[in-house]
Structures are given as C-alpha cells and as structure tokens.
Amino acid sequence: MTKRDYYEVLGVPKDADAAALKSAYKKLALKFHPDKNPGDKQAEEKFKEASEAYGVLSDAEKKAQYDRFGHAGLNMGAGGGGGFQGFTNFEDIFSAFGDIFGGGDIFGRSGRRGRPSGPPRGQDLQISLTLTLKEIASSTTKKIKLKRYNKCGNCAGQGGSGKQTCATCGGVGQVRQVQSSFFGQVVNVTTCPECQGMGHQIKSRCVQCSGSGRLLEEVTISVDIPAGVEEGQYLTLRGEGHRGPQGGAAGDLLVALHEEKDDFFERRGADLHCAVETPFTTLVLGGEIRVPTIDGEVELKIPAGTPSEKLMRVRGKGLPELNRGGQGHLYVKIHAHTPTSLSDRETELLRELHKLWEHQQPKGFMDKAKAFFM
C-alpha cells in the first residue's frame, strides 16, 4: 500500500514550523486516539499514520531526508528508521510524544507506564533573605537556619529493610481505572494508595523514621551571595531542600533575595543616587566637598558657579554589575545649604552682599514676573 505524503496526512504546508506540526498532530491524535475510538480499526490506523508522520517531520534529520528523497529517503544511512520501525506498540507512541500532552497521553497516562516510579524526589524549600546595600556591594556569605527533612541516620534513608514489590500496583506505583464517558472508555491513572507511588513496600520499618527514611531536623546552611544581586532575584541551591522519602533525591532550596532600603542611597540598577547639602559659597566660589560612597568617602570637586540641584557623577562608585564585571556610578545631587541661624555679623555681611548682587538677577526676570501676575 502506497503511503500518503506526510504533510498531507497532518494537513500542513511544507514550510510549516515546529509549532504548526505539533498543533496539527495534537488535533489528529485527539480525534483518532484509540481510547476515544475503542474497536475502530480505521481510527486506529489514522492515529498510527498521524503519529508516523509527526515522528518524521518533527525530527530535523529525518525531515531533511524526507523532503529530499520522499519515503525512500527514510531508509538511507543514519537518518533511516522512519514510520513505526522504532515503535513496538501504542505505549511507545505515547512515550515518544508524551510531551505534547503534558508528560503523558491525552487521557493522563504517563510515558513511563510499566516501569516502577521509584522513591519520589523531595520537595523544594523556599526562604527569604534580606540584604543591606553594603552586603550587595560585595560578595558575602550568610548563614541561615531552617528546618528540613534529612536522611535518617538509623536506616541510611531507606526506611527499613525487606523491600518487596507492591502487590496492588505490581511495582508500577500507579493504579489504572477504566471508566465509560461520552468519548468512550477513558483511562484514569492515580498514585497507588498502598505504596504511595513507591512501587514497593517495606517489611521491617525503621523505628526512628517509621519507614519514611527521613527526619525533620534544624540545619544551618551557608549561602554565598554574589555581588550586585537585586530585589526579587532567586538563588537556587541544588539538593539543599527536603530529602525524598525512602532514599529519594533531595529537592532544592530557593533563596528569595530582598533589599533593605538604605537611609542615604537610592539604587537604580547598578547606579547609586544621593543628595548632599553644600554651602552656597562653595557653589559660587568653587571648592571640594567630601561625599559618602558605599565603601568610604571621596572628594568631589565643585566648579565655581555650580547651581543648586546640579547632578554630578562619581565614576565607578556604584554597585557591581551582576555577571557582567562592570561597575555602576554614584550620582550626587548638590543642594544649596540655607543657614537657619545667623549671628549679627553674618546677617550684616549677607545684607551687604545682597546689595552687591542685586544686579546679578537673571536678565528679564522682573519682566517675566510682571507678565505672570498681570
């Protein structure tokens, strides 16, 4: 029997991308799935045909061979093996394309059917860690205390001795129930209630952990914080979460980073901003002022005639740029300091200076002021 063109089978053009191929196959698989059409040989053949077509067109190497030589090209060299030569039954098809249906087939069957599931992985842990701006400016190590399930030392995490295959699920860790629905027979797969998905049972349970293979304990963890981290970022510590039951692998520890608000500096990415008050005489005459940075003070040169609210930059005095090796800058806003308590002599001198500076008013200032109030 002559095979149909694979693009025709899926109903897509030859320039269809991976997403279009996947979508087309999913629609056909939903329509002709054997569980949805029990006893329908024609639907079964169409399901196989669609799976065969998708199996070739979703593989870049096989697709290239097929596009060039047609069906004959699938038997050439390393790219051969098209069609169902690699599949022995429907379970292999479900396993191969299970990612399309979220890790299993359209009725929830796992791509690992028939295999023991084994001890499950432990749960992840999540904690919050607050850092000061100074800690963010340089890499640091923080020690934190937390409670987690650790491996039981009495049974080495195995939960006891005398493991035997679960009689309820036959070592698979799952039980299946077939139900009738509008679409026909639907298979429902659930975790085995007898062994909780382990696939086995323990004959002699550990007296300390009651067969779980783990104990809840308080531990101290060292967390290395790289310089330049930001609010809302996460650090993942592999294997530092809860230990899985009966020898299962440990989960991860997720550290959510929070930044403590600083009283002086405002952070904007890798740059820092601050404001300093400067005597107006320094702004007029020029000079130098001491400006705080994240790691000490530096001298900042003020040119003569600098206006109040001037934003000045101190290069390289910001925060490290995470994973980039650069350094942000410090931006200093200059505020003119206004004295609130003056001696008689200071008041006298300022009055004299005021008279001398009357001619220094901006050109057109009075004209603009009059126009505003008219």
Side-chain angles (χ1 to χ4, degrees), residues 3 6 52 56 62 65-66 69-85:
K3 290 186 177 182
Y6 285 149
E52 178 179 338
V56 171
K62 291 180 182 179
Q65 290 283 81
Y66 179 76
F69 302 106
H71 291 289
L74 300 176
N75 297 318
M76 298 170 60
F84 283 91
Q85 295 178 26

Side-chain angles (χ1 to χ4, degrees), residues 93-324:
I93 299 173
F94 299 148
S95 179
F97 305 135
D99 64 309
I100 297 178
F101 305 108
D105 68 26
I106 58 177
F107 295 110
R109 295 187 294 195
S110 170
R112 296 179 58 193
R113 287 183 60 209
R115 304 177 191 174
S117 57
R121 176 180 178 272
Q123 291 181 318
D124 293 337
L125 273 172
Q126 181 173 324
I127 61 169
S128 295
L129 187 59
T130 300
L131 303 168
T132 65
L133 204 56
K134 195 162 188 176
E135 289 173 327
I136 291 173
S138 59
S139 57
T140 184
T141 299
K142 302 281 283 187
K143 292 188 179 293
I144 54 176
K145 288 185 178 181
L146 55 88
K147 287 187 177 182
R148 72 178 182 193
Y149 282 106
N150 281 345
K151 181 172 65 176
C152 175
N154 187 55
C155 64
Q158 298 305 305
S161 60
K163 287 185 178 180
Q164 55 189 14
T165 301
C166 176
T168 301
C169 65
V172 179
Q174 297 175 333
V175 292
R176 302 176 61 191
Q177 293 178 330
V178 180
Q179 298 176 335
S180 297
S181 72
F182 176 77
F183 297 109
Q185 289 184 324
V186 178
V187 179
N188 183 33
V189 182
T190 59
T191 301
C192 176
E194 194 67 29
C195 66
Q196 283 75 50
M198 299 286 186
H200 63 262
Q201 293 176 303
I202 297 176
K203 194 171 183 179
S204 179
R205 294 189 176 188
C206 173
V207 294
Q208 287 195 12
C209 64
S210 301
S212 68
R214 58 183 188 169
L215 296 170
L216 188 63
E217 298 175 335
E218 185 175 81
V219 296
T220 300
I221 303 292
S222 293
V223 182
D224 295 327
I225 311 295
V229 295
E230 296 187 43
E231 170 77 25
Q233 290 183 331
Y234 283 82
L235 296 178
T236 302
L237 278 63
R238 302 295 181 190
E240 294 290 355
H242 288 302
R243 172 69 60 174
Q246 296 182 14
D252 300 330
L253 175 62
L254 307 178
V255 183
L257 302 178
H258 297 287
E259 184 178 318
E260 184 179 295
K261 187 176 181 180
D262 193 84
D263 293 333
F264 183 72
F265 295 106
E266 177 188 347
R267 179 180 183 177
R268 300 180 188 176
D271 296 329
L272 294 176
H273 289 248
C274 68
V276 295
E277 288 195 338
T278 306
F280 77 92
T281 51
T282 303
L283 299 181
V284 174
L285 302 175
E288 291 184 345
I289 62 172
R290 302 289 295 177
V291 176
T293 71
I294 200 69
D295 57 359
E297 290 187 343
V298 295
E299 285 190 350
L300 179 62
K301 186 175 181 180
I302 306 296
T306 296
S308 183
E309 309 306 308
K310 173 76 173 180
L311 191 65
M312 305 188 72
R313 181 175 63 184
V314 183
R315 290 181 178 274
K317 286 301 181 179
L319 297 174
E321 296 179 322
L322 183 64
N323 298 326
R324 294 177 59 185

Side-chain angles (χ1 to χ4, degrees), residues 353-373:
L353 186 60
H354 176 68
K355 289 181 180 179
L356 292 173
W357 280 2
E358 282 183 333
H359 70 283
Q360 294 282 359
Q361 286 184 348
K363 187 176 181 181
F365 171 78
M366 291 306 298
D367 292 336
K368 291 180 180 179
K370 288 178 182 178
F372 178 81
F373 288 106

